[in-house]
Amino acid sequence: MRPMLNIAIRIIRQIGDFILKNYEIQTTNIFNEKMNKNIKNIILQKITNIYSKKIIIVDKRGIFIFKYKKTKWIINPLDGIINFINKLPHFSISIAICIKDKTEISLIYDPLKNDLFTAIRGQYAQLNGYRLRFNNNYLNNQNILFALNENFIFKKNININLIKLFMNNLISFRISGSLSLDLAYLAANRINGYISNNMTNFDKFIAGELIIKESGGLITDFSGNCNYKYSQNILVGNSTIIKFFISQIKKN
């Protein structure tokens, strides 16, 4: 897997270089479409050099999926596009490589900070070459910081109850606009948990999923079940955080 990871690193850094060159340029819809097309061509050139031209390409709501036999590359070239357009320096690129429907390699790259998060199944996760270990210590409530999905909407009162849960327990929360960086930061212990009530496109989650698991984190739905892929509700954190939130959600 290491040679494939090295290829993916070269691809994700090349995408990052291209994005940075266009960061300060005035963005319009036409410009973004052109940039998206150029990024797709960068990726396509690299992928075809690996697998030949017999690849299937799917453009799925801004995410590029390249399939060759039992191998699939899922690439999100700009996670946090609204931040990018508004010159807010918080966005990332993610790549997940799946073989026989199992994610074997994941990368998340912040080109502005030059932070590269990587993971190989069964070989732990890293940040810039240093191993990531999930913090399983219980923190004081005053220090807990949760990230929320960017489309955190109020429906069926569940989110109102969650906001009350945060406030009642003095828990801070942020909506950053970049799911991949939220999960990467969680693996690096920069935040303590992630919660989503509206996971409609799991392809955006898949790269961060492996990095979380390889760093020792847990992922469940709001009921504590591990079949979260079939639920729009996702909870990520250490065992103590997850147990606490599930118990509180049930009470509310």
Side-chain angles (χ1 to χ4, degrees), residues 85-102:
I85 290 172
N86 288 282
K87 306 296 188 299
L88 182 63
H90 191 80
F91 48 83
S92 62
I93 308 141
S94 69
I95 296 178
I97 303 174
C98 306
I99 300 174
K100 296 180 180 179
D101 294 325
K102 286 187 177 181

Side-chain angles (χ1 to χ4, degrees), residues 5 9 11 15 21 32 41-42 50-51 77 79 92 167 169 178-179 183 191-192 197 203 210 215 234 243:
L5 173 63
I9 289 173
I11 292 173
I15 297 170
K21 288 177 182 177
N32 288 330
N41 289 335
I42 291 171
I50 304 169
Y51 298 111
D79 184 0
S92 62
M167 295 175 65
N169 289 277
S178 178
L179 167 60
L183 296 175
I191 59 176
N192 309 112
N197 70 321
D203 288 330
L210 183 63
S215 63
I234 292 179
K243 287 178 183 178

Side-chain angles (χ1 to χ4, degrees), residues 147-202:
L148 310 180
N149 62 288
E150 61 183 352
N151 295 317
F152 196 84
I153 54 178
F154 296 100
K155 60 181 181 179
K156 297 180 181 179
N157 292 327
I158 186 170
N159 297 337
I160 295 174
N161 289 334
L162 287 174
I163 293 295
K164 289 181 178 178
L165 173 61
F166 293 142
M167 295 175 65
N168 290 341
N169 289 277
L170 302 178
I171 296 172
S172 301
F173 57 91
R174 304 287 187 272
I175 300 176
S176 77
S178 178
L179 167 60
S180 296
L181 280 183
D182 286 342
L183 296 175
Y185 282 7
L186 181 51
N189 299 306
R190 296 176 181 176
I191 59 176
N192 309 112
Y194 174 82
I195 194 166
S196 172
N197 70 321
N198 191 29
M199 186 63 67
T200 56
N201 186 358
F202 196 78

Side-chain angles (χ1 to χ4, degrees), residues 189-251:
N189 299 306
R190 296 176 181 176
I191 59 176
N192 309 112
Y194 174 82
I195 194 166
S196 172
N197 70 321
N198 191 29
M199 186 63 67
T200 56
N201 186 358
F202 196 78
D203 288 330
K204 291 184 176 181
F205 186 83
I206 195 166
E209 177 191 31
L210 183 63
I211 289 174
I212 288 291
K213 289 183 175 180
E214 290 300 323
S215 63
L218 299 176
I219 309 173
T220 73
D221 62 15
F222 284 4
S223 299
N225 298 321
C226 293
N227 59 344
Y228 51 85
K229 291 183 180 181
Y230 306 100
S231 171
Q232 291 187 350
N233 302 321
I234 292 179
L235 181 61
V236 188
N238 64 30
S239 57
T240 304
I241 290 286
I242 286 181
K243 287 178 183 178
F244 171 73
F245 265 83
I246 289 173
S247 66
Q248 294 297 312
I249 288 171
K250 288 179 179 179
K251 287 181 182 179

